[in-house]
Amino acid sequence: AQSVTQPDIHITVSEGASLELRCNYSYGATPYLFWYVQSPGQGLQLLLKYFSGDTLVQGIKGFEAEFKRSQSSFNLRKPSVHWSDAAEYFCAVGAYKQGGKLIFGQGTELSVKP
Amino acid sequence: NAGVTQTPKFRVLKTGQSMTLLCAQDMNHEYMYWYRQDPGMGLRLIHYSVGEGTTAKGEVPDGYNVSRLKKQNFLLGLESAAPSQTSVYFCASSSGLAGTYFGPGTRLTVL
């Protein structure tokens, strides 16, 4: 079955500290992988995407993610968190040939301590 | 360039009432989607469309209908609303490789 798991429901980090949000997927076809961010009461904003090529992808707002096929993971990282990064983060997997449908993880809520 | 827009932003219905949510995109995307978001469950696909005049069921289609008469619009209908349909509804569009772009959402409460 196709699925995305974000093991951490809620993470709290101190401002300036590094961040890693975990994402594991189960997908039969070659996956396209995405990270989205959602601020309270807002829609989803695309942070970054991986289709092929270099397994380390850079996104907006200083985020990066690394695709590890052997571990079926696509973890999101940021070297230094800012208070404005507090939001909910969603990992998603999809396939272009399947109409671009996305399967989402449950989300990880990030809180940032001053 | 407005991206993906949704109408209305908020709505309260009584059980059994009907309504239609409107989604519009100005990016000339072929694919459009309706998702619902519930706490702790991420986003789940209700219905989607791979082109004008086409629709298909997603993960949770029961109780909803959709239509895509024009490429830029994707309508989601609730014929007889139930409290279980209380949720935040997101429309999205995609050209496939460029990623999927979401609207601001519609918060629906069914009493």
Side-chain angles (χ1 to χ4, degrees), chain B residues 1-19:
Chain B
N1 194 346
V4 181
T5 58
Q6 293 182 231
T7 308
K9 289 185 170 52
F10 302 93
R11 186 72 186 269
V12 178
L13 291 178
K14 294 181 180 179
T15 297
Q17 288 185 316
S18 63
M19 77 163 295

Side-chain angles (χ1 to χ4, degrees), chain A residues 13-17 78 80-86 89 110 112:
Chain A
V13 299
S14 298
E15 190 167 16
K78 186 169 186 179
S80 177
V81 170
H82 188 263
W83 64 266
S84 61
D85 293 323
Y89 292 80
L110 173 66
V112 180

Side-chain angles (χ1 to χ4, degrees), chain B residues 82-103:
Chain B
S84 61
Q85 294 178 304
T86 293
S87 188
V88 181
Y89 292 86
F90 287 99
C91 178
S93 71
S94 169
S95 64
L97 293 178
T100 301
Y101 295 88
F102 286 80

Side-chain angles (χ1 to χ4, degrees), chain B:
Chain B
N1 194 346
V4 181
T5 58
Q6 293 182 231
T7 308
K9 289 185 170 52
F10 302 93
R11 186 72 186 269
V12 178
L13 291 178
K14 294 181 180 179
T15 297
Q17 288 185 316
S18 63
M19 77 163 295
T20 300
L21 306 183
L22 173 63
C23 175
Q25 54 97 1
D26 61 3
M27 296 174 282
N28 201 34
H29 286 168
E30 287 295 329
Y31 304 155
M32 295 188 74
Y33 317 87
W34 278 105
Y35 290 88
R36 60 177 288 173
Q37 182 180 29
D38 302 292
M41 303 188 73
L43 279 79
R44 294 179 292 168
L45 183 64
I46 304 171
H47 285 282
Y48 67 103
S49 168
V50 299
E52 181 179 320
T54 74
T55 62
K57 294 180 180 179
E59 181 185 357
V60 288
D62 294 341
Y64 305 94
N65 57 76
V66 288
S67 64
R68 183 114 180 256
L69 299 179
K70 294 182 179 180
K71 184 177 183 178
Q72 64 268 34
N73 295 337
F74 195 31
L75 278 62
L76 177 71
L78 287 72
E79 290 186 348
S80 179
S84 61
Q85 294 178 304
T86 293
S87 188
V88 181
Y89 292 86
F90 287 99
C91 178
S93 71
S94 169
S95 64
L97 293 178
T100 301
Y101 295 88
F102 286 80
T106 295
R107 188 173 295 274
L108 175 66
T109 301
V110 183
L111 303 176

Side-chain angles (χ1 to χ4, degrees), chain A residues 92-108:
Chain A
V93 63
Y96 178 67
K97 290 185 177 180
Q98 295 187 13
K101 297 179 293 180
L102 295 179
I103 299 170
F104 284 85
Q106 304 92 322
T108 297

